[in-house]
């Protein structure tokens, strides 16, 4: 074949393929946005093909999902292991900003997850992505002290007033609570740990009631009330999506990082 004709055909195929990819990205973003709440929500999807031939076979080098200004009861992505694994996403990247997950405002969440599989036939027919398998990658979530403060007030009915300060690897929790044995002002100075990768717990705590150091039994009542501060599975519906390996407390922020994956569809979660 004449090389100029071959080049022309390749060019037509490239532009047609690019237009199809852009259409796919737009429809995928619209589908994700439909699962989120918020008038100002924004979702953008970007894909990189693993070459033209790879892309035609459903092999994607990278898929990046960016979303912001939304609220949701649970993550809008999950895997459905009963679906075909005919498509391959070599790296799935998530960048989520300024959103509420089950009532907790999150400043930023990001993740890089390798080796994901999806139903390529469904994507071809309906431009809809359904993941069938997730690899395990790394992720990070960042929460501001004032947002943790608001969350504590909503979660713990015994706490009537609270302020949270984060600095120098410590969290300072001050407020007023009405507990079973006492109604009192309190102050907790503690670190934050995750003993099982799922729960964020106040640890190594020094506790004061009305300005006086609390005895062990009274302090335990307060800690038992506040712990876990956040349960990723029970409170946020994250199941096994995140396994916290490191917690950083600094400059008004809580950062938790660790192994991350897209969780199973709720009906497929094992007990």
């Amino acid at each position: 074949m004449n090389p100029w004709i071959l080049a022309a055909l390749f060019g037509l195929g490239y532009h047609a393929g690019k237009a199809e990819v852009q259409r796919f990205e737009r429809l995928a973003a619209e589908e994700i946005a439909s699962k989120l709440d918020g008038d100002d929500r924004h979702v953008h999807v970007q894909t990189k093909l693993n070459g033209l031939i790879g892309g035609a076979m459903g092999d994607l080098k990278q898929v990046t999902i960016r979303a912001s200004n939304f609220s949701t009861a649970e993550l809008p992505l999950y895997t459905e292991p009963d679906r075909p694994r005919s498509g391959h996403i070599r790296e799935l990247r998530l960048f989520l900003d300024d959103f509420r997950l089950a009532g907790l405002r999150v400043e930023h969440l990001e993740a890089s997850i390798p080796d994901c599989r999806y139903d390529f036939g469904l994507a071809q027919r309906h431009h809809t992505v359904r993941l069938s398998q997730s690899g395990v990658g790394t992720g990070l979530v960042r929460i501001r002290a004032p947002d943790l403060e608001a969350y504590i007030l909503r979660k713990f009915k015994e706490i009537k007033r609270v302020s949270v300060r984060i600095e120098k690897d410590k969290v300072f929790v001050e407020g007023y609570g009405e507990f079973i044995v006492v109604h009192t002002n309190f102050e907790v100075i503690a670190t934050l740990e995750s003993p099982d990768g799922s729960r964020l717990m106040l640890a190594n705590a020094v506790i004061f009631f009305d300005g006086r150091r609390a005895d062990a039994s009274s302090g335990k009542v307060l800690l038992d009330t506040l712990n876990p501060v956040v349960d990723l599975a029970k409170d946020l519906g994250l199941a096994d999506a995140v396994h916290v390996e490191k917690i950083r407390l600094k400059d008004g922020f809580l950062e938790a990082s660790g192994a991350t994956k897209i969780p199973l569809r709720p009906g497929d979660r094992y007990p």
Side-chain angles (χ1 to χ4, degrees):
M1 180 180 289
N2 186 303
W4 293 107
I5 296 176
L6 182 62
L9 289 175
F10 181 83
L12 287 173
Y14 171 78
H15 290 296
K18 185 176 181 180
E20 188 67 14
V21 167
Q22 291 174 339
R23 179 169 179 258
F24 169 81
E25 292 172 341
R26 176 175 56 80
L27 292 175
E30 289 175 357
E31 182 186 11
I32 294 171
S34 71
K35 300 176 182 179
L36 306 175
D37 297 318
D39 293 338
D40 296 323
R41 66 189 184 277
H42 175 74
V43 180
H44 177 73
V45 175
Q46 183 179 21
T47 61
K48 292 182 180 179
L49 305 181
N50 193 29
L52 285 177
I53 295 177
M57 300 298 292
D59 188 352
L60 305 179
K61 182 177 181 181
Q62 188 179 84
V63 173
T64 301
I65 300 172
R66 299 181 185 273
S68 60
N69 300 307
F70 65 89
S71 62
T72 180
E74 60 182 15
L75 287 179
L77 291 175
Y78 48 80
T79 59
E80 303 176 50
D82 53 321
R83 290 191 177 276
R85 302 181 182 186
S86 46
H88 191 189
I89 300 174
R90 295 179 180 269
E91 182 189 21
L92 175 61
R93 302 195 307 165
L94 303 177
F95 296 93
L96 312 180
D97 291 289
D98 188 12
F99 68 98
R100 292 184 181 274
L101 176 60
L104 173 62
R105 182 186 177 276
V106 178
E107 180 81 6
H108 177 73
L109 182 151
E110 64 181 71
S112 173
I113 304 172
D115 195 25
C116 295
R117 296 283 177 170
Y118 68 101
D119 186 342
F120 181 49
L122 183 70
Q124 285 180 304
R125 294 191 302 272
H126 301 291
H127 295 83
T128 298
V129 175
R130 292 289 184 269
L131 295 176
S132 48
Q133 174 184 292
S134 172
V136 178
T138 57
L140 176 147
V141 62
R142 183 180 301 121
I143 300 168
R144 296 189 315 143
D147 299 317
L148 194 59
E149 184 178 293
Y151 180 75
I152 288 172
L153 274 179
R154 285 195 300 271
K155 179 179 177 180
F156 303 107
K157 302 305 180 185
E158 299 90 341
I159 307 300
K160 307 303 179 182
R161 173 177 50 80
V162 71
S163 66
V164 176
R165 195 162 40 91
I166 295 173
E167 58 183 48
K168 297 180 180 179
D169 298 323
K170 296 286 191 300
V171 58
F172 299 78
V173 184
E174 300 181 43
Y176 172 77
E178 297 180 357
F179 309 104
I180 296 175
V181 296
V182 65
H183 295 184
T184 182
N185 295 302
F186 65 85
E187 179 181 6
V188 180
I189 304 170
T191 59
L192 204 60
E193 298 179 356
S194 182
D196 55 6
S198 179
R199 296 173 300 158
L200 305 186
M201 310 276 287
L202 294 170
N204 307 307
V206 177
I207 300 171
F208 298 88
F209 288 144
D210 287 327
R212 296 182 178 180
R213 183 76 176 262
D215 60 68
S217 60
S218 298
K220 185 176 184 300
V221 171
L222 178 58
L223 279 184
D224 287 347
T225 298
L226 290 174
N227 277 329
V229 179
V230 181
D231 188 314
L232 301 183
K234 293 181 179 179
D235 297 342
L236 304 184
L238 291 177
D240 58 349
V242 178
H243 184 88
V244 176
E245 298 169 347
K246 182 179 181 180
I247 296 174
R248 184 169 179 252
L249 301 171
K250 188 177 181 181
D251 300 331
F253 286 93
L254 153 66
E255 285 188 353
S257 58
T260 305
K261 66 179 181 179
I262 304 300
L264 289 172
R265 178 180 59 191
D268 293 323
R269 290 174 184 166
Y270 302 108

